[in-house]
Amino acid sequence: MGEQTADRFADDPAFAVHEGGKLSVTPTRSIDSIADLALTYTPGVARVSSAIAAEPDLARRFTWAPRVVAVVSDGTAVLGLGNIGPSASLPVMEGKACLFKDFGGLDAVPIVLGVTDVDTIVETVAAIAPSFGGINLEDISAPRCFEIEARLRERLDIPVMHDDQHGTAIVVLAALRNAARVVGREIGDLRVVVSGAGAAGVACTKILLEAGVGEIAVADSQGVLHAGRGDLTPTKQWLVEHTNASGYAGTMVGALEGADVYIGLSGGSVPEAAIAAMAPGCIVFSWPTRRPRWIR
């Protein structure tokens, strides 16, 4: 059975990269003698632990916590895959930990939770927080993600960030500024259509508004958010009050006609004709639904 399972994935290089997971724990010091063992563990470690107990701030000097980030997910909103559960989300969290190390020089530990209740997630993350210098919330579905992040930020004395919101928003704003420069446009003159009113869509819309984007329409699966909708959550109500100044009540495809920017932050696809109907020199940020040719 094991050989058959291995053969199923032999031709896909992605599975080879993930075989056995992508992370390991490597000590910063080797244990080469009895003296090393006695200092690394008992009895030497007791002196360090006693000092920290007397002066808690010493933990920042004598433990790994300040340089380690917890990457926490419940697997309810993974990439473009949706609610796939904690086990299936673990490769993604391992990958994020690899990015922290390679691009930021920080160690990170992926933690997937087998619960989705907001209170339980908050209590669980708060309980493990002393082991870490920061919390990176990842792929937690909206609107729960907003409350979880807000409550943890208020409760903990270490940084807490929901990457799907703020990481995505920062990258989108930076890319849009550069793209606008390339096409010779001012960011304040752009009309933007955002597909998706989840965590990423909300955060991107907020940061673009703060950056001075001229006009933004946000669409969910039912169409563009507008005041006439009767199915609005508090978050979507906020979007209605701060976007879509023209009161357009149609579909996302309709909103794209003449638009300068499309930002795709939800599942599904956009007809080619809708992109063709956008303004000349339009800017499109979209997640590819097909595997690029350079990935075999």
Side-chain angles (χ1 to χ4, degrees):
M1 185 66 179
E3 291 182 358
Q4 292 177 351
T5 302
D7 289 341
R8 288 172 51 203
F9 308 116
D11 294 332
D12 190 331
F15 285 90
V17 168
H18 293 258
E19 184 85 39
K22 301 185 293 296
L23 300 172
S24 64
V25 176
T26 303
T28 58
R29 295 175 60 89
S30 61
I31 300 176
D32 299 321
S33 66
I34 295 297
D36 289 338
L37 178 60
L39 291 172
T40 300
Y41 194 50
T42 190
V45 72
R47 300 202 297 275
V48 180
S49 294
S50 297
I52 294 172
E55 300 179 55
D57 286 347
L58 289 176
R60 297 191 59 82
R61 179 178 177 185
F62 294 110
T63 73
W64 79 341
R67 59 178 176 82
V68 180
V69 175
V71 181
V72 182
S73 180
D74 63 359
T76 55
V78 179
L79 297 174
L81 304 175
N83 185 0
I84 60 175
S87 294
S89 72
L90 187 53
V92 180
M93 306 312 131
E94 289 183 5
K96 179 56 66 73
C98 292
L99 300 186
F100 267 106
K101 186 64 174 180
D102 282 354
F103 299 131
L106 286 173
D107 292 302
V109 176
I111 298 172
V112 293
L113 305 176
V115 294
T116 58
D117 174 70
V118 169
D119 291 337
T120 305
I121 290 176
V122 170
E123 291 301 322
T124 301
V125 175
I128 65 173
S131 294
F132 300 100
I135 305 295
N136 180 74
L137 302 173
E138 190 84 23
D139 295 343
I140 299 173
S141 64
R144 296 175 310 116
C145 58
F146 303 120
E147 181 181 355
I148 290 169
E149 182 196 34
R151 288 172 58 180
L152 287 172
R153 280 189 166 186
E154 182 177 352
R155 185 164 172 176
L156 301 180
D157 60 357
I158 59 176
V160 178
M161 184 186 80
H162 183 211
D163 184 54
D164 302 272
Q165 292 183 65
H166 312 299
T168 305
I170 291 167
V171 170
V172 165
L173 176 57
L176 184 58
R177 281 178 167 163
N178 286 334
R181 191 175 296 118
V182 169
V183 298
R185 303 287 301 278
E186 295 294 329
I187 197 168
D189 297 331
L190 299 176
R191 181 162 75 86
V192 178
V193 176
V194 176
S195 174
V202 172
C204 287
T205 299
K206 287 183 176 180
I207 202 170
L208 293 180
L209 287 171
E210 292 177 5
V213 167
E215 183 178 348
I216 303 179
V218 181
D220 63 7
S221 59
Q222 304 302 313
V224 174
L225 299 178
H226 60 90
R229 291 269 298 265
D231 58 344
L232 299 176
T233 64
T235 299
K236 291 182 179 181
Q237 181 61 45
W238 187 94
L239 289 172
V240 165
E241 294 169 0
H242 293 84
T243 64
N244 193 14
S246 66
Y248 176 75
T251 65
M252 183 195 68
V253 169
L256 283 174
E257 186 172 351
D260 302 296
V261 182
Y262 168 71
I263 301 175
L265 297 166
S266 65
S269 59
V270 181
E272 291 184 16
I275 300 299
M278 294 176 66
C282 63
I283 300 165
V284 176
F285 296 160
S286 182
W287 184 267
T289 57
R290 295 180 180 177
R291 187 164 61 177
R293 292 179 181 177
W294 52 268
I295 297 180
R296 293 187 177 181

